Each structure stands twice: as C-alpha cells, then as structure tokens.
Amino acid sequence: MQSPETDHGDGARTELLQRYHSDTEIMGSETAAYSGPLSGPLNKRGAGGGRKSPRFNLSDPRATADDEAYVEITLDVCDDSVAVRSVKAAGTADSELTPLAKVLEKTSSFGSSVVQTASSRIKQVSQELKRFASFSKRPNQARLERTKSAAAHALKGLKFISKADCGAGWLVVEKRFDQLTAATNGLLNRSHFCECIGMNQSKEFAGELFDALARRGNIMSDSINKTQLKEFWDQISDQSFDSRLQTFFDMVDKDADGRITEAEVKEIITLSASANKLSNIQKQADEYAALIMEELDPDHVGYILIENLEMLLLQAPNQTAARVGGGESRNLSQMLSQKLKPMPELNPLRRWYGDAKYFLQDNWQRVWVMALWIGAMLGLFAWKFVQYRNREAYNVMGHCVCMAKGAAETLKLNMALILLPVCRNTITWLRNKTKLGVAVPFDDNLNFHKVIAVAIGIGVVIHATYHLSCDFPRLLRASPAKYMQMVQYFGKQPSSYWHFVMSFEGISGVVMVVLMAIAFTLASPLFRRGRVNLPKVLKKLSGFNAFWYSHHLFVIVYSLLIAHGFKLYLTHKWYKKTTWMYLAVPITLYASERLIRAFRSSIKPVKILKVAVYPGNVLTLHMSKPQGFRYKSGQYMFVNCAAVSPFEWHPFSITSAPGDDYLSVHIRTLGDWTRQLRSVFSEVCQPPPTGKSGLLRADCIQGENPNFPRVLIDGPYGAPAQDYKKYEVVLLVGLGIGATPMISIVKDIVNNIKGGGNGGGSSSSRSSSSSSSSFRTRRAYFYWVTREQGSFDWFKGIMNEVAAMDQGEIIEMHNYCTSVYEEGDARSALIAMLQSLNHAKHGVDVVSGTRVKTHFAKPNWRSVYKHIALNHTNARVGVFYCGAPALTKELRQLALDFSHRTSTKFEFHKENF
C-alpha cells in the first residue's frame, strides 16, 4: 500500500505511520520479535484540513515525481492489531494490496467494523509509520545482533524496577496509591508518581517516565487511575530488554516522532545528571550532547534512532571482554565461591576449637598484651588485698578496706599506663627504629588508651564505693575498744560522717572523680563527634573542642592524685606511698613529648606555597618542607593555626609523597576549628583562573606570602598505613577524605618503582624512603569511594599524574561515586553511555574528570577480595583502610574469611587518630 499524498479534491487522507520496531518487525530478510507496546499520538490531519478518511488510496494520477519520497507499506489488519507485512519503494506492484483495499472499501457491513477497528489502531501508529517512512530513505541497517555477552548485559541494563520488586512490589505500590489518592477520588497526580513507585529521590526522572508512559497510552491528563497505574507498572517492571529500551527511548523522544534530536539528548543528559547529583555534567550538557550525536549520527542527519541507542548500550561487554578472564578464571572463581560458603561444624568441641584457633591466629599480638595487662592488675589487686587482710585495719573495716586498697593499686598502674599510648613520638620511634612492631600492636594504641580508661572508671567506682559506703560507716560504728587500733591513723574517733568527706583525702578524691567524669563524658563518641542533641546554650559542650579542652583537666587530676597518694590514711612511711613511683616515668615522658612538640614546631617554620578550596568543604594547604623533616607515606602530622586558636593542634594525613619537595594536607570542614581555618584562608583566596581546579585558590608568588595566616606543624607520626612496604600486594581503601593517606602511598609506590626503590627528589626524601631491598610492593589496588562528584577535584592532578607515570600498570585505581545509581539502572544508563564515549575519545572520565574511570554506586567488597585472591594465590595482602567506622567491620571480616579459606592471607589495618 502506498502512503497517501494530500488529496486537494477529497480532503486530507489518513497518513499511515508505523514505528520501526513493531510487534513484528521486518528488516530485509530478518524477523525479530519486539515485546514493547506501540506508541504515538493520534494521526495528523492532512494539509487540506478535511475529515479523517479510512480509505486506502492505491494510486493517484497526480502522484508523479513525488513518488520517490514515499514507500509502499502492506499492513495485516486484525480485530486487535495492525502488523507490518512488507515495505517496498513506491511504484512496486503488490498483488495483495488491491484485494485488501477492495475488501475494505466495498464490503459495507464487514468493512465498517474492520475499518472502525483499523482506524483506532492506525491512530496509535500513525506517527510511527511516518517515522519508518523517513528511515526507509536511509541505507538499510540490520538490527544489531546480540552476542551471548551482549544479551547477558542487556538483561542487566536499563532497569527501572529491580526484578525482585516486580511481583511483591505491586502490592506495595497499590498500598501507596490508596494512601495518596484517598482525598482525590482515586486519581494519582503526576507529582506523586515518584513517591508511589518508590523513586522519591528522582522526582524529575519519575516525572519524565510518567510523561513517556502517558504518551504511549494516549493519556492527556496529569492524573491516572489504579488500572492505568497497573499498566504503567507492568511496563516499567517488564524484564524484557526490548521493552525497557523502548520505554527509555520514549522518555528521550518527547515529540514521539521516532527520532532523538540533539536538543532532546541534552535534555535527558541534564535530567540524568540531576537524578545522579552530577552537577559538573549538567554544566557541560551541550558538549556531551554534541559528543553523542557525533558518535551516533555520523551522517549528520540531525537525529538518532532506537537501533543506534541499542548498539551503544550493548557495546559495553565488548569493551570489557579483554579484562574478563576466560573459562579457567571463571572455573576458579566458582570453586572459590564454593569454598567461601560457610560450612557449619556440627561438633561443638570442634567448632569451639576452630573458632579459638582462628581468633588466636588473627589476634595473638592483642591477646598477649591484654593478658599481661590483666595479669598485672589481678596480681596487684591480690597483693594489696592479702596485705590488708593481715593488718589491724581489717579487724575494724573488714573486707571493705581490702577491696578499696586493691582497686587503688590497679588505679595507680592504669593512671600511669594510660599516658603511654598517647606518647606519639615514642611510639613512632619504636615503630621505625625497632622490631617491636612484630609483637606489639602499635596500631591499637588509641584503642588500648580507651580500654585503660574504662578500667580506670571501674577502679574509681570500686575504690570510692567501698570507702564511702563501707569503710567510713564502719569506723563511725566501731566500738571504742576496736577503734583504739585506728587512733594512730585517724586520730580521735569522729562522730560525723562528714569528718571523712571534708578531709583533704575526701575532698581531693571527690574532685578527681568529678573531673574524670567530665573528661570521660565529653570524650565519648556521642559528645566528641557532636551526635548528641543539646540545647543551644549547651552546644559548646559537644564537639572536638570540648573533648580537647576537657582532656587537659587531667593536669589537675594528676596533681591531686600525687597529693592524694601522700595523704594516705593507713600509711605513714614515705617509701610505702608508691603513687609517685608509678607516675614518675610516664608523666616525665609525656611532658617531654609536649615540650618537644612546642620546641620543634617553633624552630621548623613552614611557608605556605599554595592554598585551594575545593567542593565538599575541603581546604588544601601546600607548604614548604622544613629541613630534616623526614616522613613515610601514610604518616600524619599535627597542624596549628594561631589565627584560629593558639592552643589547638589537629592531626591530618600527609598527602604528598616523600619524594615531593613540599608538604601537603587536605582538610575537610567537619567541626568548629576546621570551619574557622577554611574561613581565614578563604579570605586570601580568589576564584581560580581558567584551567585550574577548585572554588578558590591562592599561589605564593616569588616566595612572598604576607597575607597567609601563620601555620605550625608537628610530626611526622607513625600510622598503620606506613607499613605498606612490607607487602608485595596492597589493597588501599579510602572513604571520602579518608583517601588522603592512600594518595601519598599511591604516589610513593610509583616513585619507588620508577627510582629503583628510592622515592626520588630531595636528599631528605631519599633517606626517608626504603631501599629496594625493603620495598616489596609490586601490585596495588586503590579504591576510593565518595558521595559527591566534586570530591574528585581534591586529587585530580595527583590521579592524572599517577595514571601517566604508571606505565607498568602496577596500580589499579578504582573511583566509586555513590550518588550515581548502580550500573543497569535506567537513571544512570545515559551517564554510562556518555562515560564510555568520552573515555574512548578523550581518555577522560566524565564523572571524575580524571583519566581514571569511575564506577557507580558502592563496591561489592566480597568481589574485590575475591578478585585479589584469584590473582595472587599464596600471597600476603596488606589491607589499609581509612574512613568512617561503618565499613571497618565488613572489611575486617572479609579479610578474615578469605585468609582462613584461601591460600591468600589478608592482613587488615585501620587508621586511627
């Protein structure tokens, strides 16, 4: 049948239009099924403006030269469908056409019903046939054949609703519909569609999806009923890739003409970027739309079709095929998965033995230290208990005095030990210069500090409770004969309980308890991290500043403790007053460290070289390296800025490598001090020139920086990540700003391998770097996970530098942006396509702006460990993590699981400040 021209005599005749992919589509000799429904607006009126006619004009004497602009389309018209039977150029005879037309025109009763049915169907497909007619003028292009890998990729792509949510999900959607339409007579407005189907965080995207489905169903209203919602749900939850592809195409093709123009591409890029919180892509939507059109429209016809979109979507498996192992790797992966499945042990003794064995293997360093400490406390407690059990005080106060004195002896030990884990210079020296790190878990210094604090709290409660509630009342109630033994210690028997409480021993004890309670409370995570909700007038009692200043109350506590120890009730001889003996060495060591910090920071001034303020409230400081300042990648230093506070020192990981001739730190605004620091430096910064990253920048010109605030540094100090060189394979994981120590390590690995084991650069850096014999790292996996696209600006230059220098592919870098929906989600589909195109053409990732390609959503950490275990059998892998505590448990447990059940041993280390 020939597409009709405009008949000026009879009025406008119907244009029969058919979508390129119909329910049964024919291209050349190939037939392919399509599961998606037809769509399109009602057929348009002709230019003449007459009524719509169901007649099929087979010929027109006036149709001469214009015939070549049309094609002949044969339709099979049934009661409930219209299907394309053949497509030919205009003028080609088809014997089946004439009988069909005659039947439709001459058989009035039968023809009337058929024409009525056909007309309603033709209305839906009118625009689609026009689109096909336009396409027929282009060279025939076979539909993309899907390979096995492409078909598998198609099943995972363009998902609007996950497979698991399809069946049970409708019940939830129906319930939401009833709630949302309770006051609207059962009609769901477009604005509530996102909430109803569970796309609350993608309101604009859900709105465009609503519009596309409404256009397909010829729904002109902004509201739908439950039946229509069920039809929408069936379409978006359809697991057929063809159906999902058609729905996505319809979202982009807003005028339903079967063609996607550059303006429509730009609009969907902006929409997808907004749904995934990618502001940089939104700003460059014009550029990226042109890129897509350049790739998919090489003939510059001004539009792209659905098969072009399909071809681009299914290219991903081919691009990644080279990185995927063959059958042998897949078999090994399956075997490893089977081996990692938990096998419950039925015998309880064997289960207990296995658990105990693995626990000791993984924690033997902590076990022996804790055992020694607990043994020392038990020994001291028992010694004092027995000692006072044999003294005359026992006859008056009984076991109460034994318990109080036993607890007091453990308090002396713990008040001395609690200072040692925070002697950072000493610990750093022991880590770097001795082999004690093999047996002593220096990484757990702050954890041990906290455990000792808990023991102190328990000791204080026992000591104070037995004195106040048992010893003092028994002294008051003792008979004169019994009390005579206590006269030499307490004097005349008092008549009031307050006699003991108001003595120096009582007052000093109560004051110490109060000050310790304040310091312990403000050091708890709820207060230190500002998680507790306090009234406005008490807000300053939470946060790091409150923790920092309250901890200095221990200067008073230790002074009172020494005095309290000299005023003991039951001891007169000085050499038996042992409190000062316990505290002398730790207090001297800690005081010396504080003096060294003040002295070292004042004689090693730093000059600010560059300042940059990045998105995500991150401040970067580049400073001159003081002479003799030697450090290792992974270490940290303290920073002080008198313009903010002359007394506060805060630790930050060093992001520069030992081979660099400068020091750099990246500081994220999380509290009062960091917020004020960013403010004072922002005042001397300006918007960056073209080509420079950051929101604000300031560079030192000719060595003069009179406007920069004065900064002091102290360090470096040891950290777990500095030991990465002990491992041939390392897994570096950073969350957000936690990537700072890992960036330094990544740079150092490249420098060490490039320089044959030395960090390169200045002599100080060379002496600080390990020799080739001690540098064992030959493979590194770096995973950086962040929520915001702007975060990638923090280390853009460093990552590009590493990618350019790492010719041997020693470092495998992975960026993850969790604000982007996971791969396969329709909301991120266009971002994934754009990413592949831009990276292939320019070598730059559209999300991170670096040469490192960004993954979407969160990593599958089990798969990460599995990948490393398969590639590095019988190897020791160092896992170094810096970031929020939430991920610590998962990464540590995976390291244990893979270490116990594979030949690869993972050793987990977490950064602590």
Side-chain angles (χ1 to χ4, degrees), residues 746-755 759 798-811 851:
V746 165
K747 290 180 65 178
D748 195 39
I749 290 174
V750 174
N751 290 341
N752 271 279
I753 294 175
K754 183 179 179 182
I798 297 173
M799 300 190 77
N800 284 333
E801 179 185 352
V802 171
M805 292 174 61
D806 186 22
Q807 300 298 327
E809 298 184 352
I810 297 155
I811 303 171
R851 298 175 62 178

Side-chain angles (χ1 to χ4, degrees), residues 659-704:
D660 297 331
D661 57 359
Y662 62 90
L663 291 174
S664 66
V665 291
H666 287 67
I667 302 170
R668 185 163 196 177
T669 302
L670 293 174
D672 297 338
W673 188 86
T674 51
R675 191 177 300 111
Q676 293 176 38
L677 184 72
R678 180 181 182 274
S679 177
V680 297
F681 275 101
S682 296
E683 293 175 1
V684 297
C685 293
Q686 299 294 331
T690 305
K692 296 288 186 179
S693 61
L695 301 175
L696 298 170
R697 293 178 70 93
D699 294 330
C700 177
I701 301 175
Q702 298 179 352
E704 297 180 3

Side-chain angles (χ1 to χ4, degrees), residues 128 215 258 270 306 525 577 663 712 729 767 776 810 826 834 882:
E128 317 303 332
R215 286 195 298 270
T270 303
I306 192 170
K577 299 178 179 181
L663 291 174
L712 302 178
V729 182
S767 61
R776 304 176 58 188
I810 297 155
L834 183 60
C882 183

Side-chain angles (χ1 to χ4, degrees), residues 28 42 56 72 120 132 160 179 199 244 268 336 339 390 397 402 412 417 424 632 673 703 727 734 786:
L42 297 175
F56 290 79
E72 295 179 358
S120 64
F132 180 81
F160 295 92
Q179 294 172 347
M199 284 190 179
R244 297 198 300 265
I268 197 65
L336 185 58
K339 196 172 184 180
N390 298 321
M397 292 177 277
C402 300
K412 297 176 190 177
L417 289 179
R424 300 174 189 268
K632 297 179 180 180
W673 188 86
Y727 302 93
T786 182

Side-chain angles (χ1 to χ4, degrees), residues 85 236 272 284 451 477 490 556 648 689 709 743:
R85 184 163 186 176
I236 63 177
S272 297
Q284 297 176 273
V451 170
R477 295 195 302 265
F490 297 100
I556 303 173
E648 293 184 45
I743 288 292

Side-chain angles (χ1 to χ4, degrees), residues 295-338:
E295 177 69 18
L296 300 185
D297 181 27
D299 298 332
H300 303 290
V301 297
Y303 57 85
I304 58 177
L305 303 174
I306 192 170
E307 64 272 9
N308 304 125
L309 195 62
E310 179 182 18
M311 184 182 298
L312 182 61
L313 280 170
L314 299 184
Q315 278 179 346
N318 298 328
Q319 295 172 356
T320 59
R323 296 194 296 268
V324 178
E328 183 179 355
S329 297
R330 285 192 292 272
N331 292 337
L332 288 173
S333 178
Q334 292 173 1
M335 291 172 60
L336 185 58
S337 298
Q338 291 293 329

Side-chain angles (χ1 to χ4, degrees), residues 797-828:
I798 297 173
M799 300 190 77
N800 284 333
E801 179 185 352
V802 171
M805 292 174 61
D806 186 22
Q807 300 298 327
E809 298 184 352
I810 297 155
I811 303 171
E812 189 176 298
M813 295 192 290
H814 299 270
N815 292 338
Y816 280 82
C817 186
T818 58
S819 70
V820 185
Y821 289 95
E822 63 183 349
E823 185 179 355
D825 194 296
R827 286 166 288 189
S828 62

Side-chain angles (χ1 to χ4, degrees), residues 646-663:
F647 306 110
E648 293 184 45
W649 292 79
H650 293 263
F652 299 100
S653 295
I654 303 172
T655 53
S656 54
D660 297 331
D661 57 359
Y662 62 90
L663 291 174

